[in-house]
Amino acid sequence: MKPTIKIIVLLSLFLSCAKQKTLNMKSHDFGKQPKRIVWMQIAGFQEEHLAMLRFGLPGQAAASEFPMEGVDCIGKMWNFNLYKIRPTPLESSLSQLMGQKNIKNSCEDFTKKPVWKYFEELDFATGIFESGYQKNHSLLSSLKCQSASNLFQDTYFWKMSGSNDKNANKFHYQGREQFNPGEIYYDKSCQGKDCYASILNNVKSVWNRFNEKKPNSLFIIRDYSYYEALKGKKILKAREILIGLNKVFQFFSEELNKKKETLLILTSASPQSFEFPTRGDQWAEFDRNGKYILYRKNSLLSPVLVKGAASENFCGLYSENDLIKRMIWTPRSGFSIFVK
């Protein structure tokens, strides 16, 4: 073989072995541990619901208007526990947060170790932001349980609702007040069931102040208003809420582009199934008035949309209680301190 041919063969072999690693046809660094994790839990959401955004906009929409479609990985979770095939949104989200199937909708549920306690051992600051959750649907329902007295001891907690307690801590999206761990903050803009601040403005304001605390953070955003609108068959209100949540996802997608060691996760709880119209004229009527929708039972599978560091861990089909294992698994160390 001539020297020139040998060089060409060696170069071709070298180049074939040096292919760029990709995921979903985009460049991706595998096995990268995230330093910032943003987790959106949207009760009632199914990925098919994005049709309300894509086909409801005039003309051809830009790709940036659908950031949820630009994720690195999509997975599916079985939506059941040891006692129910179709658990409530709170029960479903607790399975995800606690990594447990043994969820009884009782104070015993809150004796289990939640995901943020694991991350606090790694010096992560944890913030939880709730929107639309009232009374028994909220994580704060645990406060009635003596066994859960330390559940939010080191956690920053914001609730997008008002409070009847005049001495309650408050926040405002235009404010500059600093937050303390172990405290619960209520939205000043909320009077009764109505809040004048948008979820995007609130989340951006809270996130920017919270993110200054520590370089490592877990930020959980939980929304119940979307589920409530769907259950009430208020489809136009549901679409408006979804537009707002889509903007929140877009904001964190842009944050991820600034700092690559960020993991963005979107999961559902009790995903609501319905059939969209099949014809153009019916779709136009649906677009204007929310008509021609057929409502079905909750889906048995919940979507998982993931972007950023370690997103490859979330591809596939698995149970809800396996989610937090995928948040902390690495190829080198496995589950490390998280396996007890």
Side-chain angles (χ1 to χ4, degrees), residues 97-113:
L97 291 166
M98 307 292 185
Q100 300 283 338
K101 288 184 180 178
N102 187 21
I103 301 297
K104 299 179 178 179
N105 196 17
S106 69
C107 284
E108 186 179 336
D109 298 337
F110 300 105
T111 62
K112 301 170 177 63
K113 191 174 182 179

Side-chain angles (χ1 to χ4, degrees), residues 83-237:
Y83 307 98
K84 293 181 181 178
I85 293 295
R86 291 180 172 87
T88 65
L90 179 59
E91 293 164 347
S92 182
S93 62
L94 284 177
S95 286
Q96 299 172 30
L97 291 166
M98 307 292 185
Q100 300 283 338
K101 288 184 180 178
N102 187 21
I103 301 297
K104 299 179 178 179
N105 196 17
S106 69
C107 284
E108 186 179 336
D109 298 337
F110 300 105
T111 62
K112 301 170 177 63
K113 191 174 182 179
V115 61
W116 57 87
K117 292 296 183 183
Y118 290 117
F119 278 99
E120 284 168 6
E121 294 178 14
L122 295 179
D123 203 29
F124 273 62
T126 301
I128 301 174
F129 184 97
E130 281 195 344
S131 170
Y133 281 90
Q134 303 294 333
K135 297 180 180 178
N136 295 333
H137 303 296
S138 168
L139 288 179
L140 295 182
S141 63
S142 64
L143 298 179
K144 65 186 179 184
C145 306
Q146 187 176 359
S147 58
S149 58
N150 297 323
L151 196 64
F152 307 113
Q153 184 177 9
D154 300 309
T155 303
Y156 301 81
F157 204 115
W158 303 273
K159 191 165 175 58
M160 195 170 164
S161 68
S163 175
N164 294 326
D165 184 358
K166 293 182 179 180
N167 297 319
N169 297 311
K170 301 291 179 65
F171 76 92
H172 193 274
Y173 78 96
Q174 292 179 325
R176 296 181 179 271
E177 65 271 25
Q178 294 300 303
F179 305 118
N180 298 312
E183 301 287 350
I184 300 168
Y185 297 86
Y186 295 86
D187 188 358
K188 286 182 181 179
S189 77
C190 296
Q191 303 294 331
K193 289 186 176 181
D194 296 321
C195 297
Y196 297 99
S198 69
I199 186 171
L200 176 62
N201 285 336
N202 274 337
V203 166
K204 286 172 65 175
S205 175
V206 164
W207 165 257
N208 288 331
R209 282 178 276 173
F210 164 73
N211 199 40
E212 296 174 353
K213 297 292 182 180
K214 289 185 179 181
N216 300 337
S217 61
L218 170 65
F219 192 61
I220 302 172
I221 303 165
R222 307 182 70 247
D223 178 80
Y224 186 79
S225 61
Y226 183 67
Y227 173 87
E228 197 169 42
L230 290 177
K231 289 295 287 185
K233 299 185 178 181
K234 300 175 182 178
I235 199 71
L236 296 183
K237 182 178 180 180

Side-chain angles (χ1 to χ4, degrees), residues 14 18 35 41 48 54 61 128 142 152 160 162 183 210 214 242 286 289 294 297 316 336:
F14 173 78
K35 292 184 178 180
Q41 279 191 332
E48 192 180 42
R54 172 169 283 281
I128 301 174
S142 64
F152 307 113
M160 195 170 164
E183 301 287 350
F210 164 73
K214 289 185 179 181
L242 186 59
F286 154 74
N289 302 310
L294 298 177
K297 290 183 179 179
S336 188

Side-chain angles (χ1 to χ4, degrees), residues 252-300:
F252 284 110
S253 293
E254 293 168 357
E255 288 287 292
L256 188 151
N257 292 332
K258 297 175 186 176
K259 294 188 178 181
K260 299 297 182 181
E261 294 177 324
T262 302
L263 172 63
L264 175 57
I265 309 171
L266 187 152
T267 64
S268 180
S270 298
Q272 299 294 288
S273 295
F274 56 82
E275 291 185 18
F276 285 102
T278 57
R279 299 197 304 273
D281 55 340
Q282 290 185 354
W283 190 281
E285 190 66 22
F286 154 74
D287 210 30
R288 288 192 296 267
N289 302 310
K291 294 183 178 180
Y292 297 108
I293 287 287
L294 298 177
Y295 291 88
R296 305 297 186 189
K297 290 183 179 179
N298 293 5
S299 174
L300 294 179

Side-chain angles (χ1 to χ4, degrees), residues 3-18:
T4 306
I5 298 175
K6 286 183 179 180
I7 293 172
I8 294 173
V9 171
L10 288 172
L11 282 173
S12 63
L13 287 172
F14 173 78
L15 291 173
S16 65
C17 295

